[in-house]
Amino acid sequence: MWFLIKEGISGFRTARMAILLSILAITISLFFNGIFFLTFNKINSVAGELKKEFVIQFFIDPAVKVNPEDLIEMLQAENVVESITYISPDSALKEMSKSLDIPLNFIIDKNPLPPTLNVLIKNRYVQEHFVNNFINKYTNSQEFIEIQYPQNKLALLEKYGMAVLFVLVFIGIAFLISSILLVIYTLKITIHSKQKFIVLTRLMGGTNFYIRFPFFVEALLEGTI
């Protein structure tokens, strides 16, 4: 066994060019697949952040005497809902005053803003199909004056998200195939450089394990490097 291990290590001395090509091929494969993984992870992270900000606004009709907590409990029962925030008319007026930089509470006599429920959708359900099904359940509900959501943003996520995913999958498959081919042809070069060792070992009655084990040791060291 120790002889076979030494024979595998000796390849680094007797076939330096072949070993160098093998290590280079593995390095290039890892490098490009690493770039693909990091790119995919970054795009996936950006898409996740955009989805985290996807909120549907349910404007409650002030004329309907309903407890907001009952509405929150009703909406929270939906699978697509992550969390719900209740915005009172006074809070909504303050937020509008901040955004416009105008003290609206001193300008207007009566607060026209209705109470609002900001419904945050779970990331995996931020898709047109799920969102439309969810909204359609409450479109004609008498408790709500209007339901608003960033429709254009959702359409862009659907359109460009699928396109980017398709391109990334195609690039990933191309990198994987090229990496496999690169390593295969490099291994063929390495085996060709050891042709004499293989022939002599077979002539001396060497088994497949006896011939292959040094290559395994050599490949293990190359991969580690």
Side-chain angles (χ1 to χ4, degrees), residues 156-184:
L156 288 173
L157 278 173
E158 287 278 312
K159 181 180 178 181
Y160 293 107
M162 290 301 296
V164 170
L165 181 63
F166 177 79
V167 171
L168 284 176
V169 169
F170 178 79
I171 293 173
I173 293 172
F175 275 156
L176 183 62
I177 292 173
S178 61
S179 298
I180 292 171
L181 291 175
L182 184 62
V183 172
I184 286 173

Side-chain angles (χ1 to χ4, degrees), residues 35-169:
I35 288 177
F36 166 75
F37 173 77
L38 290 174
T39 304
F40 181 83
N41 190 49
K42 184 63 178 178
I43 292 175
N44 193 44
S45 176
V46 171
E49 289 299 320
L50 289 174
K51 288 181 178 181
K52 282 181 182 178
E53 300 172 2
F54 190 86
V55 174
I56 301 175
Q57 292 182 306
F58 287 78
F59 297 99
I60 303 172
D61 189 351
V64 178
K65 301 300 180 182
V66 61
N67 189 349
E69 291 183 1
D70 294 335
L71 296 177
I72 291 173
E73 187 177 349
M74 177 181 67
L75 295 174
Q76 194 71 62
E78 299 286 345
N79 291 330
V80 300
V81 176
E82 177 72 30
S83 62
I84 301 173
T85 305
Y86 173 72
I87 308 295
S88 66
D90 292 337
S91 299
L93 188 64
K94 287 179 182 179
E95 288 297 322
M96 183 175 286
S97 298
K98 286 182 181 179
S99 61
L100 297 175
D101 198 21
I102 299 172
L104 296 175
N105 53 330
F106 295 108
I107 298 174
I108 57 177
D109 296 328
K110 185 179 179 181
N111 188 351
L113 300 177
T116 308
L117 295 178
N118 285 349
V119 179
L120 181 66
I121 303 298
K122 294 177 182 176
N123 281 12
R124 63 179 178 273
Y125 293 119
V126 181
Q127 300 176 30
E128 285 186 316
H129 171 70
F130 293 113
V131 171
N132 289 335
N133 285 346
F134 172 59
I135 291 175
N136 289 338
K137 288 183 181 180
Y138 303 99
T139 299
N140 298 321
S141 179
Q142 62 179 2
E143 290 90 353
F144 303 114
I145 303 172
E146 189 180 1
I147 302 173
Q148 292 183 358
Y149 70 100
Q151 192 170 358
N152 293 334
K153 180 180 178 181
L154 182 61
L156 288 173
L157 278 173
E158 287 278 312
K159 181 180 178 181
Y160 293 107
M162 290 301 296
V164 170
L165 181 63
F166 177 79
V167 171
L168 284 176
V169 169

